[in-house]
Amino acid sequence: MVELKSPAEIARMRVTGRFVAEVLGELRERAQVGVNLLDLERHVRERIRERGAQSCYWDYAPSFGRGPFRNTVCLSVNDAVLHGLPFDYALRDGDVLSMDLAVGIDGWVADAATTVIVGTPAAEDRRLVRATEDALAAAIDVARPGNRVGDISAAIAAVAHGYGYRVNTEFGGHGLGRTMHEDPHIANAGRPGRGYRLRPGLTIAIEPWFARTTDHVVTDPDGWTIRSADGSRTAHSEHTVWRSRPTVRKC
């Protein structure tokens, strides 16, 4: 069931969104050559503790995962793109790192992700990251009352195909608010004019992610980390967005 939020409830989500954006900005600065993923995880834990927030990932146990998730941020390196478990790994020059953070404050959630290239960027990696960012911008542009979820999905796929990337539809965007995952599901490819009709008060996380040369994924033995099936590099961008007035806002 889709729950539409009031302007007051969206204002409370905005508070959470600002915090998520702050922490992801800090992680972008800290993600340097030689930095250990576990140090990034520790930083997020401390920031959440200081703020009195709640991690949406800690103890998260969906049907597709293996047991409860025991970290506060998803850190996915190179061919890993989603649900990456932080582990004892020092970042190397040229690594592509996707960072996905979902937090609740006073009962209201925001979810966002960003991808950075550590040290010296390869041109093809910069292009891949830019494609996810362009797809996110295109999706936000059509996330307007009267349009449908399929319009968002189609906008993402059009950008991906324009860059020459294939699209996986197993994992995508979603509604959120009181919890991290609510209806509706927002696939990263779809048909315009189809699906749930967008309306004011709808709060969603839009999250295009692409792999360079495949649309197939595999899951690590840890039961969480999702990688491109052919080992090609990946990127992921995500924002929480809502409609309370004619202009889209981002958390």
Side-chain angles (χ1 to χ4, degrees):
M1 182 180 71
V2 175
E3 179 187 1
L4 302 179
K5 280 71 175 183
S6 69
E9 290 169 336
I10 289 173
R12 295 174 69 181
M13 290 182 67
R14 186 183 297 120
V15 171
T16 312
R18 287 173 180 157
F19 176 74
V20 168
E22 287 173 9
V23 176
L24 284 178
E26 293 163 6
L27 292 182
R28 289 183 65 92
E29 294 181 0
R30 288 171 175 264
Q32 303 294 328
V33 174
V35 171
N36 197 293
L37 295 182
L38 295 178
D39 291 333
L40 298 179
E41 163 68 20
R42 281 189 282 267
H43 178 74
V44 175
R45 288 192 193 192
E46 181 61 18
R47 291 288 278 115
I48 288 174
R49 186 195 64 79
E50 290 174 346
R51 182 58 179 80
Q54 299 79 41
S55 169
C56 293
Y57 295 143
W58 192 267
D59 277 343
Y60 182 52
S63 59
F64 58 79
R66 179 177 298 170
F69 198 88
R70 287 293 185 173
N71 292 277
T72 59
V73 62
C74 295
L75 300 175
S76 306
V77 181
N78 294 333
D79 61 329
V81 65
L82 299 171
H83 311 154
L85 290 175
F87 65 104
D88 185 11
Y89 175 81
L91 291 168
R92 301 171 183 174
D93 188 48
D95 277 346
V96 178
L97 173 64
S98 295
M99 303 177 288
D100 191 346
L101 180 62
V103 170
I105 296 177
D106 297 328
W108 294 95
V109 168
D111 187 4
T114 186
T115 298
V116 297
I117 302 172
V118 179
T120 309
E124 58 268 30
D125 293 335
R126 295 171 76 171
R127 184 174 186 271
L128 181 63
V129 174
R130 185 169 64 251
T132 66
E133 295 170 344
D134 288 352
L136 179 60
I140 291 173
D141 188 56
V142 300
R144 304 172 181 277
N147 287 347
R148 293 184 179 272
V149 163
D151 297 310
I152 297 175
S153 303
I156 292 170
V159 172
H161 296 155
Y163 274 89
Y165 301 132
R166 306 177 201 170
V167 180
N168 176 287
T169 57
E170 294 176 66
F171 299 94
H174 50 89
L176 77 172
R178 300 177 192 273
T179 64
M180 178 171 57
H181 286 132
E182 299 178 357
D183 291 332
H185 172 71
I186 303 171
N188 285 332
R191 296 178 62 182
R194 299 294 183 91
Y196 179 81
R197 186 179 295 278
L198 309 180
R199 60 199 70 189
L202 179 67
T203 53
I204 54 177
I206 301 173
E207 49 178 317
W209 61 272
F210 311 135
R212 191 186 298 163
T213 56
T214 185
D215 57 351
H216 296 291
V217 295
V218 294
T219 303
D220 274 5
D222 64 26
W224 284 101
T225 305
I226 295 174
R227 300 182 182 275
S228 62
D230 64 357
S232 61
R233 290 197 164 185
T234 62
H236 177 203
S237 295
E238 178 182 13
H239 277 311
T240 294
V241 303
W242 70 89
R243 274 286 191 181
S244 57
R245 293 197 296 258
T247 301
V248 167
R249 300 299 182 95
K250 298 188 295 183
C251 286

